[in-house]
Amino acid sequence: MKKDQLYAIVDIEATGASIGKNERMIQFACVLVKNGEVIETFDSFVNPSRKVSKLIRDLTGISLKDLATAPYFEDIAQLIHRLLEDTIFVAHNVGFDYAFLNECFERIGLPKLSIPAIDTVELAQVLFPKEDSYQLKELTASLGYALNNAHNALFDAQATVYLLSRLDERLRSLPLVTVETLARLSEATTADTSLFFRQALDEMKDEPSDLAETLVIIDGLALKKPFTQNEQVNYREKHTYPYKDDDKLAQMEAVGLEYRESQNLMMNTVFNYFKQKEPEYVQFIEAPAGLGKTFGYLYPSLYIASPKEKIVLSTYTKLLQRQLVEDSLPQLLDVLPFDKAVALMKSPSHYMSLSAFYTKLKNVDASDTEAVFCMKLLVWLTETDEGDLEEIGLGKTLHHPFWNEVKSVPNAKLQFKQFEEVDYLARREKRLEQASILVTNHAYLFSEWQHQPDRFSDTKLLLDEAHHVPDVLDQNATVKLSTRSITNELKRLGTKEKEDSLLNDCQLLLPSDSIKDYQLDTLHSTVQLFSEEWEHWSRKWIDWLIHADSYEDRIVEWKEKTIHYAQLPMDIKRDTKFLCRNLEELVYVGRQLTDVLDTAKGSSNEIPSETFVEAAEKKPVISLTQKEKRVLSKIKVILDHFETVVERFNYLFLTGNTANQTSVRFYSKNPLSTLSFFRFDQAVKEQLLNQFNASKHVILTSSTLSVNDSVTYLQRQLGIENKELAVYASPYQYDHQAKLYVTTDVDTHVNEKMSVSVTFITDQIERVLSQTDENCLVLFRSHDMIQRVYQALHRRSRLKDKTILAQNISGSATKITKQFKKAKQSVLLGSDSFWEGVDFPLDELKIVIITKLPFDAPDMPMVKKRHQELRERGDNPFVHDVLPRAVIKFKQGLGRLIRSEEDKGVWIVLDRRIVEASYASVFLNSLPGDLEVRELPLNQIIEEVSAFFKTDQPEDDAFLNS
C-alpha cells in the first residue's frame, strides 16, 4: 500500500445483492487505514423501511429489532460521503459495494463517489493463485484469520483489512521483474485495481531487493527452480518393518493416530503381500470406515517401495489423489526413520508449457481478459514446483480457451530452447523416474494402460475405493462425443468478420506472405457452412428425442437412450453421413492454411529452436511473425481435435455392431448444450482387463467390497482367477452409536405406475423432521421423485422453518453440501453422488432416510449392456449384477452417517423390501454385526430417535470408555 495514503475498507449488507433492483442498505461499515494502522472505524445498521427476508436475516445475523431502532440512510449519508473523501475505496467484490453505495447516494440526491476503487477479490485471484476459494471467510481462514461473524459488515470489513495487508505483503515479496509485468498488464483489472500494482512498483524500484535463492529468471520470467526429491539411502542402515504393535505405536501416536488392532492387521497383510516375489492371487482388503484404511496401506508401502520397485497407489478421485500426496504421505514421512520420494502421476495435459505461456505473454493485449490470467500465472510460476495447472483456482474460467493454449503437449513443436532445463513435463518425467511411490487415479491408470501397455509392468499396484473399478473400466472403454466441445471450437474459429475469433485474427494479419487470401476465404466459407449444418443436425436430434412417446418433460434430469439405427428418421441418417464428410473437408481445407507451420522459422526478434533449424535443412524456409505463428497454431490444435472427432463419428454412427450400440445423453434443462453420444468398445475393455490381470502384485481395498461376505461380484467383473479376502472389524460401537429402523407403515397411495408414492415419502419425511431439530439427508434413486417430494415438502406448513435443499434444484452437489453444513434444521434430498463420497462429521448430520433400495435403473444403456452380456453367458443379471451393485451402494449410503467414534446417528428405511424380499438376507448380512434392525411404526421410531439423541453426553462418554 502507498505510504501516507488513506484507504477506506468498506463492506455493505443489503436486502439483496443486485444493482438497479431498488434494494436497500441494512448495514454499512468502514475501516480507515493509513501506513498499515487503523485510523478510524465506522459501523451502523441502516433502517431499510421495508421487510427483510428471513434468508437475509439468517445470513447476516441482523435482527428486525436491530433495524427498527437504526437510523435511515438519509440520516448518515452525508457522514459517509465525507468519511470517504480523499480515500482509496477498497472492498471484497468492489463491483457491488462501490456501485451500490453510489446508487444509494444518487437516490437521495447526493453526488456519486469519484474516488479510486480497488477490488480485493481480483487482487487475491492474482496474488494467491493456489487458493481453493475467494469467498472472504474461506480465503482469510486459509491465510490465518478467523472470521467468525461472516456477512456482518463490520467483521467483513475488518477481515478485508487483514486481507489487504497480506496482499500488499505478497506483492512486495515478488521479484521486481514479475511486478513490472503485473503492473503493465493490470489495465485489465476491475475499476482502479491497477493502482495497487503501479504504486507498489514505484516504491519497489526505489528500494530494490535481491532475488530469492529459490528463483531463477529466464527471458523475463521468474520461476521457482526445479526441485528434485532424492531419497537419502544409507546402505549400512537397514530399516526393518515393525510387525509388533508396540513398534508401530510410537510412530502412529506421532502422526496423531490412535492405535487400532484391525489397522495393524491390515498393515501386516499389505506388507506380507507386497514382500512376496510373485503372489499367485489378488489381495482383497475390506476395511470398514473408521479403521484408518489410508494409513493402513501407506505405512507398509513406504517400507517396501523403492525407485526400482515402485508402488502405484490409485484412488477414485483427483481430490483423494492430491490428499495422499499433500497430507497423508508427508504426515507419515515426518515420523518415519527414512525418506521416500513421492510423485503425482497424471496426464501431461495438466502441466503448463513455458514456451506456450511465453508466447502468449508477449502477444497478450493489456486490456484483454487473458491479461488477468497471465498475471495469475506470473505469480504462480514463483510458487509451483510441478507446473500442474490444477493447483490454480480457475473457478468459472476453467473452460476459457486460454487454459488449453498454455497446456503442455507431448513432443510439441516450436519449443523454445531456453526453457528446456526447466520444462515442467521434463520435471514430471524426472520425478516419476526417481520416485518410490506413484499416486494416480483409476481413470488415468486405465488410460495409461490403453496407450502404453507396459507402463506398469514392473510396479506393484494398490487400488483404493476399488468397488468403483468396474465402472471406471467401462468408462475408459467407451468412446464419447460431446456436441458442446465441437460447437465451442467452431465458435473459436468464427468468421473473418467476428471479433476475437481466429479467422478474424487471420484477416487482420493480411496482407501476409504466409496466409493466402484464397485459403482463408475457403476456410471461412467451409466453417460457416459446417457450423450451420452442425447446429441444424444437433437440433434435429433434440427434437426427435423430446418428442418420443416415452419422454417425460416434467422431470429435470440427465436422460439416456439407446439408439437403434434402423429406427432413426431418414433425415438424421442422411445428415449424419453428410456431416462426417463435411468435417473431413473442413480439416483438409484448414490444413492448407496451417501446413506453413511445418516449414516456418520465427521472426528476427525470436530465439530460434532446433526444430526450426532442422526444418530449414529439408524444406524452403518461410518466415512467420509471432502473431501469425500464434494464430495458425491455435487453428492447428482445433483441426487436430476435429480429426479425432471424424474417427469417433465413424465409430459411433457408421460402424455396424448390434452388440454395442450407440447411446445418447443430455440434461433435460438445457438439452442442446449437453447433448453427447457414447458407445462401448468391448475390444478395448478386454485389452485393459488383460493388462490389469498381467500385473504381478494387485491389492484392491475399500470399505465396501463384499456382498454377503464374498467378493465374487468384483472378481467376476475384473476377470480375476485367484483371490484372497481379508475383512477387518469396525472400531465403531454401532449398538451404542447408531440405530437402524424399518418403518412398518403401509403406503396406501401407491399405484401401478409408481412402486412408492410421493405422498407417502413426503408424509414420512415431514413427520420425522417436525419432531426433531437434527439435520437430515434423504437418499433417493430417482431425480423425478426428488423433484416431486421437494415441491411437496415446500407446501407443508410444519416445515416452514426448515432449510430444504435438493440435488439439481438448489445448485451443484458441492454448493448444496456447503449450504447444508452451514444451515441449521436442514434437510437435503439427494441421489447418485450423495450415496457416497460426502462426509458430514459430528453434528452436521444425524439422520439418514433411505426412501428406496439403490437398484440401478434397468433402462439405462450401460445397465442394459451389462445385462445383455450376462444373459449371453447364461448368468442371471439380477443375481450377478443388480443385487450386488445395490448392496455395495447401500453400504456406501450407510457410511454417510457414522464417521468417527463420537458420531451418533439414525437410519430410517422406508423400503420394506429390505426385510420382506427373498433377497433381504443379502442386504441384512452386509450390515455391521452389532447394528440392530428394528421394525416399528413411524410414530414409535420418532419417539425412540428423540430419546436416543437426548441421551446424556457424560453417560455416553462413560459407556465409550468402559
Side-chain angles (χ1 to χ4, degrees):
M1 293 180 279
K2 187 178 180 181
K3 188 178 179 181
D4 296 331
Q5 171 65 55
L6 190 62
Y7 292 84
I9 292 82
V10 173
D11 193 82
I12 295 170
E13 301 300 332
T15 55
S18 301
I19 304 296
K21 298 290 186 180
N22 200 29
E23 301 290 357
R24 291 292 187 269
M25 187 184 297
I26 60 174
Q27 187 185 12
F28 176 88
C30 174
V31 181
L32 296 179
V33 175
K34 181 189 285 188
N35 297 327
E37 298 292 329
V38 174
I39 304 301
E40 184 179 345
T41 298
F42 177 84
D43 173 41
S44 177
F45 293 123
V46 181
N47 191 324
S49 303
R50 63 170 61 174
K51 286 185 177 181
V52 179
S53 70
K54 182 178 182 299
L55 179 66
I56 296 295
R57 297 201 310 272
D58 289 345
L59 182 68
T60 61
I62 299 174
S63 68
L64 294 174
K65 184 179 178 180
D66 292 331
L67 298 176
T69 58
Y72 296 102
F73 181 71
E74 291 86 339
D75 299 330
I76 58 174
Q78 289 279 7
L79 175 61
I80 292 173
H81 209 284
R82 287 196 300 272
L83 186 71
L84 297 175
E85 286 177 0
D86 301 321
T87 68
I88 292 180
F89 189 103
V90 180
H92 200 66
N93 187 15
V94 78
F96 171 77
D97 294 271
Y98 192 80
F100 185 79
L101 185 56
N102 271 334
E103 189 178 88
C104 293
F105 284 143
E106 190 175 29
R107 191 174 60 248
I108 64 168
L110 283 178
K112 289 183 178 182
L113 296 172
S114 58
I115 56 177
I118 289 175
D119 185 22
T120 54
V121 172
E122 196 160 44
L123 283 175
Q125 289 170 340
V126 170
L127 295 171
F128 298 128
K130 289 186 177 182
E131 290 297 325
D132 293 326
S133 170
Y134 295 98
Q135 295 288 332
L136 185 61
K137 182 173 183 176
E138 286 86 356
L139 176 59
T140 51
S142 174
L143 298 173
Y145 182 92
L147 174 54
N148 296 321
N149 297 87
H151 302 293
N152 175 290
L154 176 60
F155 289 97
D156 282 358
Q158 290 170 337
T160 307
V161 170
Y162 172 82
L163 174 59
L164 186 65
S165 173
R166 291 297 304 272
L167 289 164
D168 187 57
E169 180 185 309
R170 177 63 183 128
L171 179 57
R172 291 168 189 273
S173 73
L174 293 170
L176 184 61
V177 67
T178 300
V179 178
E180 285 175 335
T181 312
L182 291 175
R184 177 175 66 82
L185 297 175
S186 64
E187 283 180 42
T189 57
T190 304
D192 306 291
T193 304
S194 61
L195 264 179
F196 195 76
F197 296 99
R198 298 201 307 269
Q199 290 172 350
L201 176 62
D202 290 342
E203 293 182 9
M204 289 174 70
K205 281 182 175 178
D206 292 338
E207 298 180 16
S209 58
D210 294 335
L211 184 70
E213 291 183 3
T214 57
L215 302 178
V216 61
I217 296 176
I218 301 176
D219 263 23
L221 286 185
L223 315 170
K224 193 172 182 182
K225 291 178 181 175
F227 167 75
T228 304
Q229 185 184 4
N230 287 316
E231 296 180 19
Q232 299 300 317
V233 181
N234 188 337
Y235 292 98
R236 294 183 179 181
E237 186 179 358
K238 297 294 183 182
H239 296 289
T240 305
Y241 173 76
Y243 275 100
K244 294 180 181 179
D245 300 353
D246 292 344
D247 296 334
K248 295 191 186 83
L249 191 57
Q251 291 173 343
M252 290 297 101
E253 286 179 348
V255 183
L257 297 176
E258 295 179 12
Y259 170 77
R260 296 188 177 105
E261 182 181 356
S262 51
Q263 184 188 55
N264 179 44
L265 293 172
M266 178 180 174
M267 290 176 177
N268 293 345
T269 299
V270 172
F271 183 82
N272 289 333
Y273 179 78
F274 278 152
K275 281 297 287 182
Q276 297 179 57
K277 190 173 182 179
E278 289 191 24
E280 297 181 352
Y281 62 94
V282 170
Q283 179 69 63
F284 285 82
I285 299 177
E286 184 166 80
L291 174 139
K293 169 168 57 76
T294 301
F295 287 107
Y297 63 73
L298 291 183
Y299 186 85
S301 296
L302 286 168
Y303 271 90
I304 292 176
S306 70
K308 291 185 178 179
E309 294 186 13
K310 301 180 192 298
I311 291 181
V312 175
L313 304 175
S314 181
T315 67
Y316 179 50
T317 65
K318 291 178 182 177
L319 176 62
L320 290 173
Q321 179 183 348
R322 191 161 279 283
Q323 284 175 353
L324 287 182
V325 173
E326 295 180 356
D327 300 326
S328 305
L329 281 162
Q331 256 187 295
L332 269 178
L333 287 168
D334 279 347
V335 301
L336 290 176
F338 53 81
D339 194 18
K340 289 289 171 77
V342 175
L344 197 61
M345 190 175 192
K346 48 171 56 175
S347 165
S349 63
H350 287 88
Y351 298 90
M352 194 181 85
S353 163
L354 287 170
S355 294
F357 176 64
Y358 180 78
T359 303
K360 173 71 72 175
L361 191 63
K362 293 297 180 187
N363 293 284
V364 71
D365 190 322
S367 61
D368 194 329
T369 305
E370 292 190 351
V372 178
F373 298 157
C374 286
M375 293 173 72
K376 192 181 185 92
L377 287 178
L378 283 167
V379 177
W380 176 69
L381 287 174
T382 67
E383 303 174 355
T384 181
D385 288 306
E386 300 183 7
D388 180 356
L389 287 165
E390 284 196 348
E391 294 174 5
I392 305 175
L394 299 183
K396 294 179 180 178
T397 68
L398 176 64
H399 301 293
H400 193 285
F402 173 89
W403 300 107
N404 278 326
E405 291 166 15
V406 297
K407 285 180 179 178
S408 289
V409 179
N411 306 315
K413 296 179 181 179
L414 310 177
Q415 295 297 307
F416 296 135
K417 191 177 181 66
Q418 65 267 39
F419 295 122
E420 284 181 5
E421 293 298 315
V422 291
D423 177 68
Y424 290 119
L425 275 191
R427 296 192 202 188
R428 168 187 180 266
E429 289 306 313
K430 198 168 187 177
R431 282 194 306 274
L432 295 178
E433 180 186 341
Q434 295 176 341
S436 295
I437 300 280
L438 303 179
V439 183
T440 188
N441 61 75
H442 302 338
Y444 184 66
L445 181 75
F446 284 105
S447 175
E448 280 294 275
W449 258 325
Q450 192 171 346
H451 299 108
Q452 300 185 58
D454 299 327
R455 179 77 178 195
F456 305 107
S457 57
D458 297 322
T459 61
K460 299 175 173 68
L461 302 178
L462 187 146
L463 284 73
D464 194 1
E465 299 298 307
H467 61 282
H468 287 292
V469 172
D471 287 343
V472 174
L473 183 63
D474 281 352
Q475 290 162 12
N476 275 68
T478 300
V479 176
K480 307 176 189 73
L481 178 67
S482 163
T483 59
R484 183 178 183 176
S485 67
I486 299 164
T487 301
N488 289 343
E489 299 286 42
L490 290 169
K491 286 180 179 178
R492 285 186 65 205
L493 286 173
T495 67
K496 293 191 300 182
E497 297 80 22
K498 185 181 177 184
E499 290 186 9
D500 297 326
S501 72
L502 292 174
L503 294 186
N504 177 249
D505 289 345
C506 284
Q507 179 71 21
L508 296 176
L509 292 172
L510 296 176
S512 164
D513 294 335
S514 310
I515 299 174
K516 308 300 182 187
D517 293 37
Y518 69 90
Q519 292 175 337
L520 182 57
D521 290 343
T522 307
L523 182 58
H524 165 85
S525 58
T526 307
V527 170
Q528 284 272 81
L529 178 63
F530 184 81
S531 297
E532 292 172 9
E533 291 174 339
W534 179 253
E535 184 176 357
H536 189 54
W537 180 81
S538 300
R539 290 189 182 279
K540 278 187 178 181
W541 272 103
I542 296 299
D543 289 342
W544 178 68
L545 290 164
I546 65 177
H547 288 102
D549 294 338
S550 58
Y551 185 76
E552 177 58 80
D553 60 357
R554 185 184 49 77
I555 307 168
V556 179
E557 64 179 351
W558 283 97
K559 310 280 189 181
E560 289 187 9
K561 180 184 177 70
T562 301
I563 300 169
H564 299 283
Y565 195 75
Q567 298 173 9
L568 283 176
M570 189 61 69
D571 59 339
I572 290 183
K573 291 182 187 177
R574 181 193 64 237
D575 290 353
T576 300
K577 292 179 180 177
F578 287 156
L579 209 59
C580 190
R581 286 202 294 267
N582 291 346
L583 186 56
E584 287 178 324
E585 182 182 345
L586 190 158
V587 173
Y588 174 79
V589 170
R591 295 288 188 217
Q592 307 304 305
L593 191 68
T594 62
D595 279 349
V596 68
L597 288 169
D598 294 331
T599 55
K601 73 173 182 178
S603 58
S604 58
N605 62 351
E606 181 182 283
I607 299 174
S609 74
E610 290 180 355
T611 307
F612 299 142
V613 175
E614 291 166 2
E617 294 174 354
K618 299 176 183 177
K619 297 180 181 179
V621 176
I622 300 173
S623 180
L624 283 178
T625 66
Q626 280 277 21
K627 286 188 177 181
E628 288 172 341
K629 192 197 320 174
R630 180 171 61 87
V631 173
L632 293 177
S633 295
K634 288 180 181 180
I635 294 174
K636 184 178 183 300
V637 169
I638 294 175
L639 297 177
D640 291 343
H641 176 225
F642 282 169
E643 276 196 344
T644 66
V645 170
V646 170
E647 294 172 7
R648 293 180 185 184
F649 232 89
N650 279 313
Y651 180 74
L652 289 166
F653 301 110
L654 306 177
T655 303
N657 184 345
T658 56
N660 296 309
Q661 293 177 310
T662 296
S663 299
V664 60
R665 188 172 192 259
F666 63 95
Y667 188 55
S668 56
K669 195 172 184 178
N670 46 344
L672 195 62
S673 63
T674 57
L675 182 67
S676 64
F677 302 88
F678 60 95
R679 184 175 185 176
F680 180 74
D681 190 330
Q682 183 64 33
V684 172
K685 180 175 181 177
E686 289 173 1
Q687 173 200 338
L688 293 174
L689 280 175
N690 289 338
Q691 295 300 126
F692 175 78
N693 285 298
S695 302
K696 293 177 183 177
H697 295 82
V698 178
I699 294 178
L700 301 175
T701 185
S702 172
S703 60
T704 54
L705 286 178
S706 67
V707 177
N708 223 3
D709 299 323
S710 168
V711 289
T712 302
Y713 166 70
L714 286 173
Q715 189 179 354
R716 288 167 61 99
Q717 287 286 310
L718 300 175
I720 296 169
E721 291 187 12
N722 302 312
K723 61 89 175 73
E724 286 194 12
L725 170 63
V727 180
Y728 301 108
S730 171
Y732 301 148
Q733 300 180 45
Y734 283 99
D735 56 346
H736 174 72
Q737 292 182 251
K739 303 286 183 184
L740 191 148
Y741 295 100
V742 181
T743 179
T744 58
D745 292 13
V746 178
D747 185 356
T748 58
H749 304 277
V750 71
N751 56 47
E752 292 181 2
K753 293 184 178 179
M754 199 170 288
S755 59
V756 62
S757 70
V758 173
T759 303
F760 175 72
I761 291 178
T762 306
D763 287 346
Q764 301 280 46
I765 295 172
E766 180 190 20
R767 287 165 65 191
V768 172
L769 294 179
S770 61
Q771 298 299 316
T772 181
D773 293 334
E774 306 295 350
N775 285 357
C776 178
L777 171 65
V778 187
L779 294 174
F780 293 81
R781 286 303 293 156
S782 160
H783 291 283
D784 175 29
M785 187 61 76
I786 287 179
Q787 290 162 42
R788 290 169 181 257
V789 171
Y790 175 79
Q791 293 165 1
L793 287 173
H794 271 284
R795 293 192 291 268
R796 303 295 174 100
S797 59
R798 288 200 294 175
L799 303 180
K800 66 180 186 300
D801 293 329
K802 301 286 184 182
T803 301
I804 303 172
L805 304 167
Q807 190 173 352
N808 289 345
I809 297 175
S810 308
S812 66
T814 302
K815 180 182 176 182
I816 61 180
T817 299
K818 287 182 179 178
Q819 287 180 275
F820 182 79
K821 289 181 176 183
K822 289 178 182 177
K824 301 295 183 185
Q825 299 189 46
S826 58
V827 57
L828 195 164
L829 315 181
S831 68
D832 302 331
S833 57
F834 286 97
W835 280 88
E836 61 178 303
V838 182
D839 291 343
F840 300 99
L842 297 175
D843 293 333
E844 289 175 1
L845 178 65
K846 290 291 187 69
I847 300 172
V848 173
I849 298 175
I850 296 175
T851 59
K852 288 188 71 176
L853 296 179
F855 291 110
D856 286 339
D859 56 345
M860 291 292 99
M862 291 301 287
V863 177
K864 286 182 177 179
K865 175 197 74 67
R866 292 199 308 269
H867 293 180
Q868 179 63 29
E869 289 175 5
L870 288 166
R871 278 190 285 267
E872 289 174 358
R873 294 205 302 258
D875 292 331
N876 184 320
F878 183 81
V879 172
H880 293 289
D881 184 79
V882 177
L883 183 59
R885 288 174 67 90
V887 171
I888 289 173
K889 178 80 81 172
F890 182 76
K891 289 168 72 175
Q892 287 286 329
L894 294 184
R896 296 314 92 219
L897 196 53
I898 305 299
R899 308 296 295 179
S900 78
E901 292 177 26
E902 288 75 41
D903 280 350
K904 293 185 70 174
V906 169
W907 296 280
I908 301 174
V909 182
L910 306 184
D911 190 341
R912 288 198 51 77
R913 288 179 297 177
I914 194 173
V915 291
E916 293 180 345
S918 59
Y919 49 78
S921 61
V922 182
F923 279 94
L924 297 178
N925 290 344
S926 297
L927 299 175
D930 56 347
L931 179 63
E932 181 186 4
V933 178
R934 291 174 57 77
E935 298 179 60
L936 296 170
L938 190 63
N939 285 340
Q940 196 171 337
I941 291 173
I942 292 170
E943 290 176 9
E944 291 199 8
V945 169
S946 180
F948 178 63
F949 287 130
K950 286 179 181 176
T951 303
D952 186 53
Q953 189 61 43
E955 291 181 11
D956 288 355
D957 291 344
F959 185 97
L960 284 169
N961 295 325
S962 63

